[in-house]
Amino acid sequence: MAVESITIGPGTLSIGATDKLTTFESQTTSCKLVPSVDKGDNIPVLSGEEVAGDRSESFTLEGTFLQDFGSTGSRTEWLFMHRGEQHPFVYVPNTAKGKKVTGTLTVEAVEIGGDVKSKPTSDFEFSLIGPPVIGTGV
């Protein structure tokens, strides 16, 4: 079996309902869905067996944006104005593959500013509300 891998991009990243969609792909230099799993300790029982500990999982959408503070339609300012709000999102790592990740995230503000005479970037981390869904059709 041949090994396959993908290249990230061209793709899309949007946050918001269809009628109020804000797109971020032109400002995004890195984006990834990050799972996190917490497992409780197994519980020994009298029979010598063990009962599995509790398991919980969570997800974040993480990456890096180019800042556009002060620009018309600024995504940096949009994140600031909508911080703490829950919005649907769609992330397509590579449009040619026809797969997308959807769900609901909590918007957080990102850093504003940086080094003089640079094109500043801001790292982002948005917590997902429940598990995301992997689907087709981009």
Side-chain angles (χ1 to χ4, degrees):
M1 178 180 209
V3 175
E4 287 193 41
S5 66
I6 68 164
T7 299
I8 301 299
T12 63
L13 175 60
S14 60
I15 300 174
T18 305
D19 59 336
K20 294 182 181 178
L21 196 64
T22 301
T23 59
F24 288 84
E25 58 267 10
S26 293
Q27 302 300 122
T28 304
T29 63
S30 170
C31 189
K32 59 187 173 183
L33 178 69
V34 180
S36 177
V37 176
D38 290 320
K39 296 179 188 176
D41 293 336
N42 289 346
I43 304 165
V45 294
L46 185 59
S47 67
E49 299 168 291
E50 290 187 346
V51 175
D54 291 336
R55 179 187 182 278
S56 64
E57 66 181 8
S58 60
F59 293 86
T60 56
L61 190 67
E62 300 178 13
T64 304
F65 291 137
L66 287 168
Q67 293 180 26
D68 62 353
F69 185 70
S71 300
T72 302
S74 170
R75 280 26 177 200
T76 303
E77 293 175 45
W78 187 93
L79 294 170
F80 183 85
M81 290 185 300
H82 295 279
R83 66 192 184 280
E85 296 176 3
Q86 295 178 0
H87 289 274
F89 77 93
V90 178
Y91 170 45
V92 178
N94 182 307
T95 53
K97 294 292 185 178
K99 293 282 192 166
K100 63 184 174 182
V101 179
T102 61
T104 301
L105 55 73
T106 301
V107 172
E108 301 296 347
V110 296
E111 296 173 332
I112 295 174
D115 294 333
V116 173
K117 294 194 176 193
S118 72
K119 293 190 183 291
T121 61
S122 293
D123 293 333
F124 64 87
E125 181 176 323
F126 304 135
S127 297
L128 272 58
I129 309 303
V133 175
I134 294 176
T136 57
V138 291

